[in-house]
Amino acid sequence: MHRSKLSRSILLALGLVSAGGAIAADAGTAGTSSSGNAAAPTQLDAMLVTGTRASNRTQFETLAPVDVFTKQDIQSVDSTDLKDVLAQLVPSFVVQRLPMADGQVFVRPATLRGLSPDQTLVLVNGRRFHRSALLGNRGAQAADLAQIPTSAIKRIEVLRDGASAQYGSDAIAGVINIILEDSPGTEITAGYSQYAQGDGGSRDFSARTGWTLGDYGSLALFAESSNSDATSRTRQRPDAIAFQAAHPELDVPNPVQRWGQPELESRRVGFNLKANASDTLELYAFGLYSHSDGVSDFNWRNPDTTTGAYRTTSIFPGWNLRSLYPVGFSPQYGNTQNDLQLVAGLRGEITPKLRWDLSASYGRNAIDYSLDNSINASLGPDSPTSFDLGRLTQTEKNANADFNYEWDVAALSKPVNVAFGAEFRQETYQVRAGDPASYAVGRGAAAGLEANSNGAPGFSASQAGQWSQRSKAAYVDMEVPLGERWSIGAAGRYEDFSSFGSTVDGKLSARFAITPDVALRGTLSTGFRAPTPAQLNTTSTTQGLDTRTLQIFTSGRLSPSDPLAQLLGAKPLTPEESRTASLGLTWRTELGLSASVDVYRITLSDRFSQSASFAIPAGTPNPLGYTSVNYFTNDFDTTTTGVDVVGNYLRDLGAGRMTLTLAYNYNQTRVDNGSTSVATNETQRVLFEDRLPEHKGSFTGSWDIGAWSLMARVRYYGKWTDSTGNATGDIYQQFGAKTFLDLAVGYRINEHHSLRVGADNVFDRYPDEATFQASRGLIYSRNAPYDTDGANVYAQYRLTF
């Protein structure tokens, strides 16, 4: 079967085919040694599409560091959550579990190089992936990688460098590009995993099938299902023990609330299509859809101390909440998500040197929240016990026009690659109000009975609304080969936003080949992250438990445009701005050894966060009963410095093939100035500087011999600091370094059937106990940068044909 002229030219432009015509997406493509003989294949020989628009660019030849993870790398991690996969593969990528953390238990924040989750840009097949509707800690609104089915992924490319000049907003820490499968064949996988303590069972199923459409293209379909049971790493709360002693006639649950992973069901489907309309025109499209339902516990309400709910009053004669919840209650927080991404485009060539690509995309994430086993005490006996809290929806529309020109310059041995284009993007954020009972202030409030659904107040009619922001951009990106040793690059981007105006960013890159197998590379760039419509306009209400008083507190997060927020000092939000410098050394040898060392410095100004908490001024109406309020603000400046070390060794060992991989990151962030540097917001300073480990690394060894494959991975996390999250008077605790060992063995029964069994955290290791939060029944910190549920054992069966 022949490949059309257009298909080959497009693949050439994207870096998927070498100039000689060979498919080059395989990480095992042979390099060239300094002696001119074929060097042993190394991980630095993979062809790339991320961070460069030049054709025939390998991982070894890039001007900035890029990690490439193959399908086999992805399948070596036992998880259908892409965040967990990347946390084990990428040295500077950290994701937290966050049990009982409202919406974040379902949309977990993930960070690259210790920066904010929304300072990393996520692409799918080179196209921007939309954000989640959730605003997380400190207001970050990032793409939710968990919505992308891992079984649909062909490879992942991670650009560890600032790239706003190339890709626009959010690409401050780097870019994660998910390349979907397009190869023919069928693969069906079924797996089961469970923690050593007997809980958290997960049943996973995935199927992928693909066809070549004759000479006209390809079509791949994906489907994935996951059902996970809850986990619990909990001790009975001391106040629950005291309550049981004071009321021996009652049977108090032990524990009264659960700290652990939520109960979660997920379904994901998708497709990836490429079709040649002619020799000079190709149509492409892909889509991803996911649906999930989850339930998580909230803090227990003690009948003896939760006076705002259990108070008796003559307003509701004969009504006492103890008759409904005699042993207290732990609200059950529900999360239903629907996520959709659709992309379609046309690409072709005007001449063999000038290629074009026009595309449009639509992304939408909608989250419905519910609360069961609760009460709006101010409504008394008229209150329901289950509430619809409302819906958050993030919608994004993008249109792109991209061009790539290979410019022949007489003085140069290779063409100058010139890429240019334009983009239009519209973001819309919508808040739908919940049940009126979820935010109602009933007549019992006059007697001290708390308003709103207890645990998570619903979005009120005054909080509901729809807000949009539009942006338009133009960019140019050039890569110039100056002889056999030097390559330089320059990129510039102008972007204008309807909410706050325009920004201009640039990037300079250079690479010098000391020898054909050793090279220096470096970059200088500026970047930005634009505030979103949600951050600019929305308000929210949260409740928590003070670890000192064991009283529920209610915090309000106001929009910067809210009159009360402005009275307290809020100002209009502006973009976060960055300056990044990196310098690296990369090399490969004929012995199959390749490595890179990259140092970097990222200076961020006007970083986005929540302000310090303020008491409600006397005389100010406070119908929602806020204990304190804060608002989003451009709060402070930071400097992040670090180093990435990546090494890979491929070698024959006996009758098999051995692969050794080292990945290490050192990352330190320091607050330079801003309100977080003073005592009024000490918690924010501590969290930004010390909440994540400065050291993180892994060492992985695998050996494939005959039908068997063996894998061992050691994961290391350095020390880090956590806080209680109290409304006032935070308490801090430092947690020591921790090392985990993962093991797996696979057996290929025949060409169609294979089995794999293994265990993560084989020695069932746990972090230090969170003594600073023992009053809540919590054993291990919910903000840990790793799984705190102990050893996880799994088995997996795979059928391919």
Side-chain angles (χ1 to χ4, degrees):
M1 182 182 67
H2 72 277
R3 182 184 301 122
S4 72
K5 177 182 177 182
L6 171 65
S7 296
R8 185 183 177 282
S9 66
I10 291 170
L11 292 172
L12 179 65
L14 294 177
L16 295 176
V17 173
S18 71
I23 295 293
D26 183 4
T29 303
T32 303
S33 72
S34 57
S35 64
N37 298 322
T42 72
Q43 292 288 5
L44 291 181
D45 294 316
M47 301 298 295
L48 302 178
V49 299
T50 308
T52 177
R53 291 182 170 91
S55 62
N56 199 26
R57 178 70 72 187
T58 70
Q59 187 180 2
F60 176 69
E61 296 167 338
T62 55
L63 307 183
V66 181
D67 293 323
V68 179
F69 302 104
T70 66
K71 190 177 188 70
Q72 289 70 35
D73 296 325
I74 298 166
Q75 291 176 344
S76 73
V77 180
D78 176 52
S79 179
T80 59
D81 189 328
L82 184 53
K83 293 179 181 178
D84 291 328
V85 173
L86 289 171
Q88 292 204 24
L89 297 178
V90 180
S92 62
F93 191 89
V94 176
V95 63
Q96 298 165 287
R97 277 288 180 194
L98 296 177
M100 208 184 299
D102 296 354
Q104 290 190 119
V105 71
F106 304 104
V107 184
R108 297 181 296 147
T111 66
L112 187 68
R113 289 185 164 179
L115 301 183
S116 178
D118 54 6
Q119 290 170 345
T120 299
L121 177 63
V122 176
L123 308 175
V124 176
N125 282 352
R127 294 293 177 258
R128 180 181 285 263
F129 190 72
H130 59 275
R131 308 176 196 277
S132 167
L134 175 72
L135 275 69
N137 279 348
R138 294 179 302 281
Q141 188 184 5
D144 184 10
L145 288 162
Q147 303 302 322
I148 302 173
T150 57
S151 58
I153 299 174
K154 182 176 185 176
R155 70 179 186 278
I156 302 172
E157 298 177 357
V158 181
L159 171 64
R160 293 180 276 112
D161 193 47
S164 290
Q166 297 164 296
Y167 297 103
S169 179
D170 306 347
I172 290 177
V175 178
I176 298 173
N177 191 9
I178 312 299
I179 309 299
L180 299 180
E181 267 286 6
D182 58 0
S183 56
T186 298
E187 182 174 273
I188 298 174
T189 303
Y192 180 79
S193 65
Q194 182 174 288
Y195 286 93
Q197 291 199 19
D199 59 5
S202 180
R203 296 153 294 280
D204 306 312
F205 175 84
S206 67
R208 178 194 64 83
T209 187
W211 306 271
T212 57
L213 305 177
D215 294 340
Y216 301 102
S218 63
L219 173 64
L221 302 177
F222 326 112
E224 192 171 274
S225 166
S226 179
N227 294 272
S228 300
D229 299 331
T231 63
S232 179
R233 302 294 177 267
T234 316
R235 292 195 181 104
Q236 184 68 304
R237 283 173 47 159
D239 59 334
I241 296 174
F243 179 81
Q244 178 69 87
H247 302 277
E249 73 282 5
L250 299 176
D251 185 14
V252 179
N254 186 7
V256 290
Q257 68 187 57
R258 180 184 55 80
W259 291 95
Q261 299 180 35
E263 180 181 338
L264 185 63
E265 295 185 3
S266 301
R267 306 288 184 269
R268 306 181 186 100
V269 295
F271 73 93
N272 189 20
L273 170 69
K274 298 177 183 178
N276 300 325
S278 71
D279 283 348
T280 58
L281 186 65
E282 183 182 65
L283 165 71
Y284 62 91
F286 66 87
L288 298 171
Y289 172 77
S290 76
H291 171 84
S292 63
D293 289 289
V295 178
S296 175
D297 276 22
F298 268 5
N299 285 299
W300 177 63
R301 273 58 175 168
N302 187 331
D304 286 350
T305 59
T306 311
T307 55
Y310 281 88
R311 187 189 307 271
T312 57
T313 170
S314 59
I315 296 177
F316 302 120
W319 183 76
N320 189 331
L321 190 58
R322 290 178 187 264
S323 62
L324 180 63
Y325 297 126
V327 295
F329 62 99
S330 175
Q332 300 293 292
Y333 190 60
N335 176 295
T336 298
Q337 282 199 70
N338 289 283
D339 191 276
L340 174 67
Q341 177 86 2
L342 292 172
V343 175
L346 288 169
R347 52 195 174 198
E349 60 181 35
I350 300 173
T351 72
K353 296 288 187 180
L354 178 59
R355 293 170 293 275
W356 57 270
D357 190 327
L358 303 178
S359 66
S361 68
Y362 174 86
R364 181 178 184 270
N365 178 261
I367 307 177
D368 290 273
Y369 293 109
S370 62
L371 195 70
D372 295 323
N373 199 48
S374 183
I375 196 77
N376 182 336
S378 71
L379 298 177
D382 296 326
S383 172
T385 58
S386 296
F387 302 87
D388 171 13
L389 303 181
R391 173 186 294 172
L392 303 177
T393 305
Q394 170 78 10
T395 304
E396 298 180 27
K397 301 173 183 177
N398 290 269
N400 292 82
D402 301 298
F403 300 86
N404 198 86
Y405 179 60
E406 293 183 14
W407 179 22
D408 291 318
V409 179
L412 301 175
S413 60
K414 297 180 181 179
V416 175
N417 196 84
V418 182
F420 56 96
E423 180 181 46
F424 173 80
R425 184 166 71 255
Q426 177 177 295
E427 292 188 52
T428 301
Y429 195 77
Q430 184 177 21
V431 178
R432 178 183 62 78
D435 292 337
S438 70
Y439 58 86
V441 180
R443 55 195 179 97
L449 287 171
E450 292 175 342
N452 315 308
S453 48
N454 199 301
F459 298 110
S460 68
S462 62
Q463 292 174 308
Q466 180 173 296
W467 305 270
S468 293
Q469 175 176 269
R470 296 174 302 280
S471 67
K472 50 190 176 183
Y475 74 89
V476 61
D477 188 354
M478 300 179 62
E479 292 189 25
V480 184
L482 300 177
E484 294 299 321
R485 293 195 173 191
W486 276 102
S487 296
I488 60 173
R493 187 182 185 93
Y494 169 84
E495 194 147 358
D496 183 75
F497 288 80
S498 59
S499 299
F500 54 81
S502 61
T503 179
V504 178
D505 290 279
K507 182 172 184 176
L508 296 174
S509 309
R511 180 183 183 275
F512 177 71
I514 301 172
T515 75
D517 296 316
V518 180
L520 281 170
R521 62 191 178 196
T523 67
L524 293 171
S525 66
T526 63
F528 74 102
R529 192 202 64 81
T532 68
Q535 295 164 341
L536 290 166
N537 298 287
T538 63
T539 65
S540 69
T541 304
T542 58
Q543 291 186 337
L545 180 74
D546 191 291
T547 59
R548 296 179 186 270
T549 65
L550 295 185
Q551 295 298 305
I552 301 296
F553 62 84
T554 303
S555 298
R557 193 266 301 151
L558 307 178
S559 162
S561 60
D562 185 280
L564 176 56
Q566 293 179 343
L567 177 67
L568 298 172
K571 297 179 180 179
L573 293 176
T574 60
E576 299 173 309
E577 297 183 348
S578 68
R579 297 184 301 277
T580 300
S582 68
L583 180 65
L585 177 68
T586 182
W587 67 93
R588 60 187 180 183
T589 73
E590 296 181 28
L591 301 177
L593 175 66
S594 61
S596 64
V597 178
D598 294 273
V599 296
Y600 57 88
R601 178 184 175 91
I602 305 169
T603 302
L604 271 160
S605 58
D606 297 327
R607 284 197 69 171
F608 189 77
S609 184
Q610 290 179 190
S611 71
S613 295
F614 300 93
I616 301 294
T620 302
N622 188 17
L624 295 179
Y626 289 141
T627 309
S628 61
V629 294
N630 55 50
Y631 50 84
F632 290 149
T633 179
N634 294 104
D635 202 27
F636 56 99
D637 304 336
T638 63
T639 298
T640 298
T641 55
V643 58
D644 287 323
V645 179
V646 177
N648 187 265
Y649 182 59
L650 304 176
R651 205 65 185 170
D652 291 333
L653 180 64
R657 183 75 162 169
M658 179 186 67
T659 304
L660 301 177
T661 302
L662 169 70
Y664 166 78
N665 171 255
Y666 168 77
N667 193 86
Q668 181 190 76
T669 295
R670 289 293 177 261
V671 174
D672 299 326
N673 56 63
S675 66
T676 56
S677 62
V678 296
T680 56
N681 207 355
E682 175 68 6
T683 296
Q684 292 292 312
R685 184 194 66 79
V686 171
L687 291 179
F688 270 93
E689 292 189 347
D690 303 320
R691 68 188 174 91
L692 297 176
E694 291 185 349
H695 300 270
K696 178 176 179 280
S698 66
F699 183 76
T700 304
S702 62
W703 187 33
D704 298 319
I705 178 169
W708 293 91
S709 62
L710 308 174
M711 189 278 291
R713 178 181 289 122
V714 177
R715 293 178 284 129
Y716 174 81
Y717 298 82
K719 63 182 181 180
W720 57 284
T721 299
D722 197 9
S723 71
T724 53
N726 291 340
T728 58
D730 249 338
I731 305 171
Y732 305 101
Q733 180 177 342
Q734 186 179 91
F735 295 86
K738 192 63 59 178
T739 302
F740 304 99
L741 174 65
D742 309 327
L743 296 175
V745 56
Y747 179 70
R748 189 176 66 255
I749 301 171
N750 55 41
E751 62 177 328
H752 299 298
H753 305 273
S754 62
L755 296 173
R756 177 182 171 89
V757 297
D760 293 339
N761 188 6
V762 170
F763 295 119
D764 200 28
R765 301 196 67 188
Y766 293 87
D768 303 334
E769 293 193 6
T771 57
F772 72 143
Q773 292 199 19
S775 59
R776 309 170 79 177
L778 180 148
I779 302 177
Y780 309 109
S781 172
R782 66 177 178 176
N783 297 314
Y786 38 70
D787 192 341
T788 60
D789 286 323
N792 186 50
V793 181
Y794 61 89
Q796 188 180 82
Y797 163 76
R798 178 170 287 113
L799 170 65
T800 57
F801 56 91

